[in-house]
Amino acid sequence: MKLATYKDGSRDGQLVVVSRDLSTAHYATGIAQRLQQVLDDWNFLAPQLEDLYQTLNSGKARHAFPFDPKQCMAPLPRAYQWADGSAYLNHVELVRASRSSEVPQSFYSDPLMYQGGSDDFIGPCDPVVCRDEAFGIDFEAEIAVITGDVPMGVTPENALDGIRLVMLANDVSLRNLIPNELAKGFGFFQSKPATAFSPVAVTLDELGDAWDQGRINLTMQSTWNGRKVGMCEAGPEMTFHFGQLIAHIGKTRNVRAGSIVGSGTVSNKSVDVNGKPEWAKGYSCIAEKRAIETILDGKPSTEFMKFGDTIRIEMKGADGQSVFGAIDQQITPLTP
């Protein structure tokens, strides 16, 4: 099934069930008001939502209405936890190579992860508000999962059973603030503002054969200012699958229902063309493009985002239809 949260003036919005083709929706009010309620009581409430979903898809839902992504908050508007990994190590390799720095061997066996802010997510069509262009505004096209309760000490294989929903993310980064923060030795903070998520979150069965043991074998599409800059394959080069990322969190703590775990920037390796590397599938964040330019030309030439820029992030199924709906945002200055 596909679930979304509509704006209603409250912090947590109203849960809606969305049809498979994203054309219609129906309030889930008679079952649950908010997505967190469903995550807390999944085995009881999810089957009821599934029944409503099937009724909606058959065209028999009496109070269905046209689905409008612009009315959406993040599917889970605030979460108990937002932990973002860096599961595509090609991204790390490129950034490090542009600085003539090697990737530590431990990175290939132990996932990178940071704890992000989870009190203020933004909707898929909400503006990305920033105080200053000089902060180095960047998009990051990612996949994210929402978990149920997962116990401490869980194995990567069993952790996959804790995944309830999948969605897309724009993990906005302020690149020019990162160096000073990392130099303090405590990690990201101000350089990671509010994250945006796709209009809908979907259960694993909606992905069909594209869901492959913790990876999604679909293409992440990134369109910056109307120009498609990324068509990156999300499955084959994901170094750590979602079960491994969840188990990494669970090494020392329980992972509770309503935790969101991100994949990090979807990234693909170069291919050799006439003895030279080419990145034919593009990029899912500007920092990676700048790293490639530095490797090839000695310096970056692509600037970070400016006020008025737009970014669209989407993933389509084998049928060509949008799976999660699109994140479609504009960069906007903070106004007094």
Side-chain angles (χ1 to χ4, degrees):
M1 61 186 165
K2 299 190 176 187
L3 303 175
T5 295
Y6 255 36
K7 298 174 181 177
D8 67 352
S10 72
R11 292 182 186 272
D12 298 301
Q14 287 283 322
L15 181 65
V16 299
V17 176
V18 183
S19 63
R20 182 170 285 112
D21 64 1
L22 306 180
S23 65
T24 59
H26 194 290
Y27 282 107
T29 312
I31 302 168
Q33 298 277 351
R34 299 178 301 280
L35 180 54
Q36 185 62 49
Q37 289 177 264
V38 181
L39 296 165
D40 286 338
D41 199 5
W42 184 263
N43 291 336
F44 179 67
L45 295 176
Q48 298 177 55
L49 292 173
E50 177 66 28
D51 288 343
L52 176 55
Y53 179 64
Q54 297 301 335
T55 303
L56 183 63
N57 285 325
S58 69
K60 297 177 180 178
R62 293 179 58 191
H63 301 293
F65 53 87
F67 178 60
D68 182 4
K70 292 184 176 64
Q71 296 302 315
C72 288
M73 306 173 77
L76 192 60
R78 51 181 175 168
Y80 289 115
Q81 177 168 223
W82 160 229
D84 196 20
S86 189
Y88 297 86
L89 280 187
N90 180 66
H91 172 72
V92 180
E93 290 168 348
L94 282 173
V95 172
R96 292 233 167 189
S98 70
R99 302 198 305 254
S100 299
S101 174
E102 291 187 1
V103 179
Q105 195 59 40
S106 63
F107 283 27
Y108 294 91
S109 58
D110 196 34
L112 288 167
M113 187 166 284
Y114 81 91
Q115 192 92 44
S118 60
D119 59 328
D120 186 31
F121 297 139
I122 51 179
C125 301
D126 292 344
V128 175
V129 179
C130 186
R131 286 179 51 208
D132 194 337
E133 287 180 347
F135 289 168
I137 308 165
D138 197 357
F139 66 90
E140 288 194 61
E142 304 186 6
I143 304 162
V145 300
I146 306 176
T147 76
D149 284 327
V150 181
M152 180 168 54
V154 67
T155 65
E157 293 72 27
N158 289 339
L160 291 173
D161 295 333
I163 296 173
R164 297 288 179 255
L165 296 160
V166 186
M167 54 189 177
L168 304 183
N170 179 15
D171 180 43
V172 181
S173 292
L174 304 178
R175 298 293 183 185
N176 293 339
L177 301 186
I178 290 177
N180 286 342
E181 288 201 322
L182 295 186
K184 295 178 180 178
F186 238 44
F188 303 122
F189 196 74
Q190 292 175 335
S191 54
K192 290 291 187 177
T195 303
F197 294 95
S198 52
V200 300
V202 311
T203 48
L204 298 181
D205 57 302
E206 291 295 325
L207 298 172
D209 293 340
W211 179 254
D212 182 17
Q213 298 180 338
R215 298 176 173 89
I216 299 179
N217 290 319
L218 293 173
T219 303
M220 180 71 82
Q221 303 182 16
S222 301
T223 305
W224 178 17
N225 289 336
R227 177 173 170 263
K228 195 162 286 183
V229 297
M231 291 289 287
C232 296
E233 299 302 325
E237 295 181 45
M238 188 179 189
T239 309
F240 301 103
H241 63 67
F242 276 108
Q244 291 170 298
L245 295 179
I246 295 168
H248 180 75
I249 304 172
K251 181 176 180 178
T252 59
R253 67 183 82 172
N254 295 313
V255 183
R256 292 307 189 190
S259 293
I260 303 176
V261 183
S263 68
T265 306
V266 177
S267 178
N268 291 158
K269 293 183 179 296
S270 64
V271 294
D272 187 85
V273 179
N274 297 323
K276 295 182 179 180
E278 287 191 9
W279 285 265
K281 297 186 183 299
Y283 52 92
S284 299
C285 73
I286 301 169
E288 189 163 304
K289 173 64 170 174
R290 287 168 59 88
I292 291 169
E293 291 167 346
T294 301
I295 293 168
L296 295 177
D297 307 321
K299 62 179 181 180
S301 55
T302 300
E303 295 184 351
F304 290 116
M305 302 180 85
K306 305 296 184 184
F307 294 142
D309 279 11
T310 59
I311 179 62
R312 182 181 177 93
I313 297 169
E314 192 171 21
M315 187 173 272
K316 295 182 179 180
D319 59 1
Q321 299 299 309
S322 185
V323 178
F324 308 94
I327 297 173
D328 199 348
Q329 299 180 283
Q330 184 174 60
I331 309 302
T332 306
L334 178 67
T335 54

